[in-house]
Amino acid sequence: MEKRVMTDSKRRRGLMAASALLGGVLVLSGCSDGNAKADGDGGGDSSSQAKVDEAAAKKTSEAQIKITPKDGSDNASINNGTAVTVSKGRLTSVTMQTAEGTAVAGQISADKKSWKPTGQLQRATTYKIAAEAADSEGRTAHENASFTTVSPANSFIGNFTPEDGSTVGVGMPVSINFNKAITNKAAVQKGITVSSSSGQEVVGHWFNANRLDFRPESYWTGGSTVTLKLALDGVEGASGVYGVQQKTVTFKIGRNQVSIVDAKTKTMKVTQDGKTIRTIPISAGSPENKTYQGQMVISEKFKETRMDGSTVGFTNDDGKGEYDIKDVPHAMRLSSSGTFIHGNYWGAKSIFGAVNTSHGCVGLSDTKGAGDKNTPAAWFYDNSLIGDVVVVKNTGDKTIAPDNGLNGWNLNWTAWKAGSAV
């Protein structure tokens, strides 16, 4: 019995301990209420921060400003690459200046959605742009960027002929000479288009890495208009070297004038639209210094110019030129190597039409000073345009190289098209 009583007592004590333990658990569970825990963990602070964030959001402008080029860019375009645009708002202010503080003029569009500089930028120059915009609630947004334009060392340009707005002869090609060697010829050629109001097909031909000429299969149609478009801005012409030109050029083709020099008969027939309008006695290159044959284009005109034999390889034993005439009248260039058709006042009048005496040029009778309008040379000079064709034949010499001057007409159409990169 004693043992049983002790057992019951222990059981009662165990039950009381268990109850106390369960009670403690219940109490602790009661302290674990979700709301109470949030308060204990700083829930009040989170609620306050949320209200602050909400208030801040209401004060932030919805306007989104974008500046091109991106901040930190280099080799940026100097033409059409710079702009500021905004969405969900309107531009209120844009300023652009060089790193030295020189202001750059620009204009915000009528709808106040964009801004561009009004002129071409300078190469190798760092620019800074600061833009401000406002959304529909009048809240302002700001954006800033700095970039550097392409440097001369990392850019190329093409020097072209003929000039914008000029009137030229039917043989005048579009000739572009690049100031850096072009290795990506296809990309550059695709950035250049030449078209004619006559509808003639025009094809480009690379003579070398620096020169690209354009012409149709046969001479330009007289009276037509030719348009050259250079869209080279940003075009990579060689590794790390980019184009900067964005330009449209137009020129007019004049009447069709082609003159035929016959060294055998020592005459030149001047034709316009296929009809001979004048025959002029000439003196071509001597048997020792024959004139090139072929189709040649007048590329320059000088009322008077100096001709020094030493510059084209005609020298005496002392190294000086075999001739040095400082006032050659009515001179028109036919080749880069020194072939001209020009007036001659120092030769006897009897040589013209009778004897070939020159060092390779074509001479016409003239007077000293280029002041007599009645001489054959003066008449031909006054009636010729840059781009007119002079065809020379029966000299006994070779045909002039197509790249010696503007003389690509000496390549047939198949050979010309073979030199295209596109």
Side-chain angles (χ1 to χ4, degrees):
M1 286 295 290
E2 184 178 355
K3 183 176 180 180
R4 180 179 178 184
V5 170
M6 289 175 65
T7 301
D8 290 340
S9 176
K10 288 179 179 180
R11 286 178 178 174
R12 284 194 296 273
R13 289 197 299 270
L15 288 171
M16 291 176 64
S19 296
L21 179 61
L22 288 171
V25 171
L26 289 173
V27 171
L28 289 172
S29 296
C31 291
S32 298
D33 175 77
N35 291 332
K37 182 178 181 181
D39 290 341
D41 286 349
D45 291 342
S46 295
S47 178
S48 298
Q49 185 61 48
K51 292 178 181 179
V52 171
D53 292 344
E54 181 181 359
K58 290 181 179 179
K59 295 180 181 180
T60 300
S61 176
E62 293 184 348
Q64 301 291 322
I65 302 171
K66 180 181 178 182
I67 298 177
T68 307
K70 292 181 179 180
D71 186 38
S73 298
D74 56 14
N75 287 332
S77 166
I78 63 172
N79 293 293
N80 301 322
T82 301
V84 179
T85 58
V86 64
S87 59
K88 298 182 181 180
R90 307 177 80 185
L91 291 171
T92 55
S93 173
V94 179
T95 59
M96 181 176 180
Q97 61 183 14
T98 66
E100 292 75 26
T102 302
V104 176
Q107 186 171 6
I108 295 176
S109 62
D111 62 4
K112 300 188 183 303
K113 293 290 186 180
S114 63
W115 175 94
K116 286 186 177 182
T118 53
Q120 188 181 65
L121 305 182
Q122 299 296 316
R123 286 191 283 180
T125 302
T126 298
Y127 291 94
K128 297 180 179 181
I129 293 179
E132 179 183 287
D135 64 9
S136 59
E137 300 296 325
R139 296 169 296 193
T140 60
H142 298 267
E143 193 71 42
N144 295 273
S146 177
F147 62 88
T148 302
T149 52
V150 64
S151 68
N154 293 104
S155 61
F156 71 89
I157 60 171
N159 298 300
F160 58 84
T161 190
E163 296 179 359
D164 186 30
S166 60
T167 297
V168 296
V170 296
M172 188 69 187
V174 172
S175 185
I176 305 171
N177 286 274
F178 299 102
N179 68 334
K180 289 186 175 65
I182 303 299
T183 56
N184 194 356
K185 293 180 178 178
V188 171
Q189 189 172 335
K190 286 177 182 177
I192 304 171
T193 58
V194 181
S195 59
S196 172
S197 62
S198 66
Q200 292 172 278
E201 179 188 10
V202 184
V203 175
H205 180 97
W206 290 89
F207 284 114
N208 52 50
N210 293 82
R211 179 177 170 185
L212 172 62
D213 283 17
F214 290 83
R215 70 165 176 89
E217 181 175 6
S218 52
Y219 303 144
W220 301 104
T221 299
S224 60
T225 298
V226 179
T227 300
L228 162 66
K229 291 184 178 181
L230 298 170
L232 297 174
D233 189 34
V235 174
E236 191 170 21
S239 179
V241 180
Y242 300 88
V244 295
Q245 289 169 295
Q246 197 79 13
K247 190 177 184 66
T248 298
V249 173
T250 60
F251 58 94
K252 189 85 171 178
I253 305 299
R255 73 287 175 275
N256 183 318
Q257 179 167 303
V258 178
S259 302
I260 299 94
V261 172
D262 188 333
K264 186 175 182 179
T265 63
K266 303 167 186 65
T267 59
M268 177 174 68
K269 290 184 178 180
V270 182
T271 69
Q272 286 189 0
D273 300 317
K275 297 180 180 179
T276 300
I277 61 171
R278 185 161 178 173
T279 300
I280 300 174
I282 62 95
S283 179
S286 67
E288 296 77 25
N289 301 298
K290 299 180 179 70
T291 305
Y292 285 130
Q293 298 189 134
Q295 302 172 74
M296 306 184 203
V297 174
I298 296 174
S299 59
E300 290 182 290
K301 294 178 65 179
F302 306 96
K303 189 172 182 180
E304 290 184 282
T305 192
R306 178 185 180 185
M307 290 188 179
D308 182 353
S310 66
T311 63
V312 289
F314 293 109
T315 59
N316 295 315
D317 293 339
D318 60 3
K320 294 183 179 180
E322 292 182 11
Y323 58 87
D324 187 0
I325 306 170
K326 297 179 174 61
D327 57 352
V328 178
H330 300 119
M332 293 181 283
R333 182 182 291 277
L334 299 178
S335 79
S336 301
S337 61
T339 307
F340 281 78
I341 184 166
H342 61 78
N344 179 334
Y345 66 80
W346 53 91
K349 302 299 181 185
S350 59
I351 67 171
F352 301 103
V355 185
N356 291 322
T357 62
S358 82
H359 283 76
C361 292
V362 177
L364 288 68
S365 180
D366 207 342
T367 56
K368 186 178 177 63
D372 187 350
K373 293 286 186 180
N374 296 315
T375 65
W379 180 90
F380 186 62
Y381 182 91
D382 291 340
N383 286 277
S384 294
L385 295 172
I386 288 177
D388 280 350
V389 181
V390 177
V391 180
V392 181
K393 63 181 184 178
N394 295 327
T395 68
D397 201 6
K398 63 183 179 181
T399 298
I400 192 167
D403 61 346
N404 186 358
L406 302 177
N407 299 323
W409 301 104
N410 294 288
L411 285 175
N412 63 41
W413 191 231
T414 300
W416 183 266
K417 293 175 73 173
S420 173
V422 298

